[in-house]
PDB file of all heavy atoms in Angstrom:
ATOM      1  N   VAL A 141      20.585  -0.270 -17.028  1.00 84.00           N
ATOM      2  CA  VAL A 141      20.412   1.144 -16.814  1.00 84.00           C
ATOM      3  C   VAL A 141      21.613   1.821 -16.523  1.00 84.00           C
ATOM      4  O   VAL A 141      21.857   3.081 -16.928  1.00 84.00           O
ATOM      5  CB  VAL A 141      19.355   1.236 -15.593  1.00 84.00           C
ATOM      6  CG1 VAL A 141      19.353   2.702 -15.088  1.00 84.00           C
ATOM      7  CG2 VAL A 141      18.042   0.852 -15.861  1.00 84.00           C
ATOM      8  N   ALA A 142      22.664   1.201 -16.006  1.00 79.00           N
ATOM      9  CA  ALA A 142      23.961   1.776 -15.757  1.00 79.00           C
ATOM     10  C   ALA A 142      25.000   1.053 -16.453  1.00 79.00           C
ATOM     11  O   ALA A 142      24.967  -0.220 -16.720  1.00 79.00           O
ATOM     12  CB  ALA A 142      24.382   1.736 -14.287  1.00 79.00           C
ATOM     13  N   SER A 143      25.949   1.697 -17.093  1.00 70.00           N
ATOM     14  CA  SER A 143      27.011   1.047 -17.929  1.00 70.00           C
ATOM     15  C   SER A 143      28.429   1.066 -17.180  1.00 70.00           C
ATOM     16  O   SER A 143      29.361   0.492 -17.629  1.00 70.00           O
ATOM     17  CB  SER A 143      27.210   1.811 -19.258  1.00 70.00           C
ATOM     18  OG  SER A 143      27.512   3.204 -19.017  1.00 70.00           O
ATOM     19  N   GLY A 144      28.473   1.788 -16.013  1.00 55.00           N
ATOM     20  CA  GLY A 144      29.730   1.802 -15.279  1.00 55.00           C
ATOM     21  C   GLY A 144      29.918   0.555 -14.512  1.00 55.00           C
ATOM     22  O   GLY A 144      29.029  -0.260 -14.284  1.00 55.00           O
ATOM     23  N   GLU A 145      31.017   0.406 -13.947  1.00 55.00           N
ATOM     24  CA  GLU A 145      31.336  -0.746 -13.090  1.00 55.00           C
ATOM     25  C   GLU A 145      30.843  -0.612 -11.713  1.00 55.00           C
ATOM     26  O   GLU A 145      30.798   0.512 -11.225  1.00 55.00           O
ATOM     27  CB  GLU A 145      32.859  -1.040 -13.139  1.00 55.00           C
ATOM     28  CG  GLU A 145      33.493  -1.439 -14.512  1.00 55.00           C
ATOM     29  CD  GLU A 145      34.926  -1.623 -14.388  1.00 55.00           C
ATOM     30  OE1 GLU A 145      35.552  -1.567 -13.371  1.00 55.00           O
ATOM     31  OE2 GLU A 145      35.515  -2.046 -15.535  1.00 55.00           O
ATOM     32  N   HIS A 146      30.556  -1.670 -11.027  1.00 50.00           N
ATOM     33  CA  HIS A 146      30.157  -1.676  -9.728  1.00 50.00           C
ATOM     34  C   HIS A 146      31.157  -1.066  -8.745  1.00 50.00           C
ATOM     35  O   HIS A 146      32.270  -1.596  -8.546  1.00 50.00           O
ATOM     36  CB  HIS A 146      29.835  -3.103  -9.233  1.00 50.00           C
ATOM     37  CG  HIS A 146      29.223  -3.338  -7.940  1.00 50.00           C
ATOM     38  ND1 HIS A 146      29.571  -2.488  -6.730  1.00 50.00           N
ATOM     39  CD2 HIS A 146      28.169  -4.148  -7.459  1.00 50.00           C
ATOM     40  CE1 HIS A 146      28.778  -2.843  -5.854  1.00 50.00           C
ATOM     41  NE2 HIS A 146      27.891  -3.817  -6.179  1.00 50.00           N
ATOM     42  N   PRO A 147      30.994   0.072  -8.058  1.00 49.00           N
ATOM     43  CA  PRO A 147      31.845   0.734  -7.267  1.00 49.00           C
ATOM     44  C   PRO A 147      31.823   0.233  -5.794  1.00 49.00           C
ATOM     45  O   PRO A 147      30.710  -0.489  -5.388  1.00 49.00           O
ATOM     46  CB  PRO A 147      31.595   2.204  -7.427  1.00 49.00           C
ATOM     47  CG  PRO A 147      30.052   2.140  -7.572  1.00 49.00           C
ATOM     48  CD  PRO A 147      29.703   0.880  -8.106  1.00 49.00           C
ATOM     49  N   SER A 148      32.740   0.716  -4.981  1.00 48.00           N
ATOM     50  CA  SER A 148      32.500   0.547  -3.479  1.00 48.00           C
ATOM     51  C   SER A 148      31.514   1.634  -2.992  1.00 48.00           C
ATOM     52  O   SER A 148      31.315   2.577  -3.790  1.00 48.00           O
ATOM     53  CB  SER A 148      33.901   0.747  -2.772  1.00 48.00           C
ATOM     54  OG  SER A 148      34.395   2.037  -3.046  1.00 48.00           O
ATOM     55  N   VAL A 149      31.147   1.468  -1.832  1.00 44.00           N
ATOM     56  CA  VAL A 149      30.181   2.479  -1.346  1.00 44.00           C
ATOM     57  C   VAL A 149      30.589   3.924  -1.467  1.00 44.00           C
ATOM     58  O   VAL A 149      29.828   4.779  -1.660  1.00 44.00           O
ATOM     59  CB  VAL A 149      29.844   2.196   0.194  1.00 44.00           C
ATOM     60  CG1 VAL A 149      29.020   3.319   0.840  1.00 44.00           C
ATOM     61  CG2 VAL A 149      29.152   0.736   0.260  1.00 44.00           C
ATOM     62  N   ASP A 150      31.960   4.127  -1.278  1.00 41.00           N
ATOM     63  CA  ASP A 150      32.421   5.588  -1.257  1.00 41.00           C
ATOM     64  C   ASP A 150      32.774   6.154  -2.548  1.00 41.00           C
ATOM     65  O   ASP A 150      33.359   7.229  -2.675  1.00 41.00           O
ATOM     66  CB  ASP A 150      33.642   5.650  -0.270  1.00 41.00           C
ATOM     67  CG  ASP A 150      33.242   5.289   1.136  1.00 41.00           C
ATOM     68  OD1 ASP A 150      32.147   5.527   1.595  1.00 41.00           O
ATOM     69  OD2 ASP A 150      34.086   4.642   1.795  1.00 41.00           O
ATOM     70  N   ARG A 151      32.545   5.472  -3.632  1.00 43.00           N
ATOM     71  CA  ARG A 151      32.928   5.957  -4.997  1.00 43.00           C
ATOM     72  C   ARG A 151      31.801   6.448  -5.729  1.00 43.00           C
ATOM     73  O   ARG A 151      30.674   6.242  -5.497  1.00 43.00           O
ATOM     74  CB  ARG A 151      33.735   4.940  -5.721  1.00 43.00           C
ATOM     75  CG  ARG A 151      34.997   4.483  -5.062  1.00 43.00           C
ATOM     76  CD  ARG A 151      35.692   3.333  -5.819  1.00 43.00           C
ATOM     77  NE  ARG A 151      36.030   3.648  -7.249  1.00 43.00           N
ATOM     78  CZ  ARG A 151      36.109   2.809  -8.220  1.00 43.00           C
ATOM     79  NH1 ARG A 151      36.095   1.599  -7.972  1.00 43.00           N
ATOM     80  NH2 ARG A 151      36.564   3.170  -9.498  1.00 43.00           N
ATOM     81  N   TRP A 152      32.134   7.265  -6.805  1.00 41.00           N
ATOM     82  CA  TRP A 152      31.112   7.747  -7.684  1.00 41.00           C
ATOM     83  C   TRP A 152      30.537   6.564  -8.646  1.00 41.00           C
ATOM     84  O   TRP A 152      31.258   5.549  -8.810  1.00 41.00           O
ATOM     85  CB  TRP A 152      31.575   8.886  -8.638  1.00 41.00           C
ATOM     86  CG  TRP A 152      32.158  10.013  -7.915  1.00 41.00           C
ATOM     87  CD1 TRP A 152      33.490  10.188  -7.546  1.00 41.00           C
ATOM     88  CD2 TRP A 152      31.502  11.068  -7.277  1.00 41.00           C
ATOM     89  NE1 TRP A 152      33.664  11.451  -6.871  1.00 41.00           N
ATOM     90  CE2 TRP A 152      32.445  11.963  -6.784  1.00 41.00           C
ATOM     91  CE3 TRP A 152      30.143  11.477  -7.254  1.00 41.00           C
ATOM     92  CZ2 TRP A 152      32.130  13.074  -6.161  1.00 41.00           C
ATOM     93  CZ3 TRP A 152      29.787  12.604  -6.558  1.00 41.00           C
ATOM     94  CH2 TRP A 152      30.826  13.401  -6.037  1.00 41.00           C
ATOM     95  N   GLY A 153      29.452   6.789  -9.268  1.00 43.00           N
ATOM     96  CA  GLY A 153      29.080   5.833 -10.222  1.00 43.00           C
ATOM     97  C   GLY A 153      27.989   4.837  -9.844  1.00 43.00           C
ATOM     98  O   GLY A 153      27.307   4.944  -8.921  1.00 43.00           O
ATOM     99  N   TRP A 154      27.956   3.754 -10.827  1.00 74.00           N
ATOM    100  CA  TRP A 154      26.823   2.715 -10.534  1.00 74.00           C
ATOM    101  C   TRP A 154      25.478   3.457 -10.707  1.00 74.00           C
ATOM    102  O   TRP A 154      25.280   4.469 -11.198  1.00 74.00           O
ATOM    103  CB  TRP A 154      27.156   1.940  -9.294  1.00 74.00           C
ATOM    104  CG  TRP A 154      26.484   0.617  -9.379  1.00 74.00           C
ATOM    105  CD1 TRP A 154      26.169  -0.190 -10.515  1.00 74.00           C
ATOM    106  CD2 TRP A 154      25.919  -0.118  -8.196  1.00 74.00           C
ATOM    107  NE1 TRP A 154      25.671  -1.428 -10.069  1.00 74.00           N
ATOM    108  CE2 TRP A 154      25.522  -1.322  -8.652  1.00 74.00           C
ATOM    109  CE3 TRP A 154      25.890   0.136  -6.926  1.00 74.00           C
ATOM    110  CZ2 TRP A 154      24.992  -2.319  -7.817  1.00 74.00           C
ATOM    111  CZ3 TRP A 154      25.480  -0.726  -5.945  1.00 74.00           C
ATOM    112  CH2 TRP A 154      24.921  -2.040  -6.472  1.00 74.00           C
ATOM    113  N   ILE A 155      24.418   2.811 -10.098  1.00 83.00           N
ATOM    114  CA  ILE A 155      23.177   3.446  -9.916  1.00 83.00           C
ATOM    115  C   ILE A 155      23.078   4.125  -8.524  1.00 83.00           C
ATOM    116  O   ILE A 155      22.997   3.478  -7.468  1.00 83.00           O
ATOM    117  CB  ILE A 155      22.065   2.412 -10.010  1.00 83.00           C
ATOM    118  CG1 ILE A 155      22.111   1.718 -11.400  1.00 83.00           C
ATOM    119  CG2 ILE A 155      20.588   3.095  -9.779  1.00 83.00           C
ATOM    120  CD1 ILE A 155      21.016   0.785 -11.616  1.00 83.00           C
ATOM    121  N   GLY A 156      23.087   5.612  -8.512  1.00 81.00           N
ATOM    122  CA  GLY A 156      23.118   6.210  -7.274  1.00 81.00           C
ATOM    123  C   GLY A 156      21.859   6.692  -6.819  1.00 81.00           C
ATOM    124  O   GLY A 156      21.788   7.034  -5.521  1.00 81.00           O
ATOM    125  N   GLY A 157      20.745   6.775  -7.563  1.00 87.00           N
ATOM    126  CA  GLY A 157      19.549   7.286  -7.225  1.00 87.00           C
ATOM    127  C   GLY A 157      18.310   6.825  -8.151  1.00 87.00           C
ATOM    128  O   GLY A 157      18.576   6.623  -9.199  1.00 87.00           O
ATOM    129  N   VAL A 158      17.198   6.668  -7.423  1.00 91.00           N
ATOM    130  CA  VAL A 158      16.089   6.281  -8.220  1.00 91.00           C
ATOM    131  C   VAL A 158      14.803   6.943  -7.620  1.00 91.00           C
ATOM    132  O   VAL A 158      14.754   7.037  -6.344  1.00 91.00           O
ATOM    133  CB  VAL A 158      15.887   4.712  -8.235  1.00 91.00           C
ATOM    134  CG1 VAL A 158      15.798   4.143  -6.864  1.00 91.00           C
ATOM    135  CG2 VAL A 158      14.759   4.290  -9.137  1.00 91.00           C
TER     136      VAL A 158
END
Side-chain angles (χ1 to χ4, degrees):
V141 171
S143 56
E145 296 182 356
H146 187 319
S148 66
V149 172
D150 295 329
R151 293 175 64 198
W152 305 97
W154 201 32
I155 297 177
V158 59

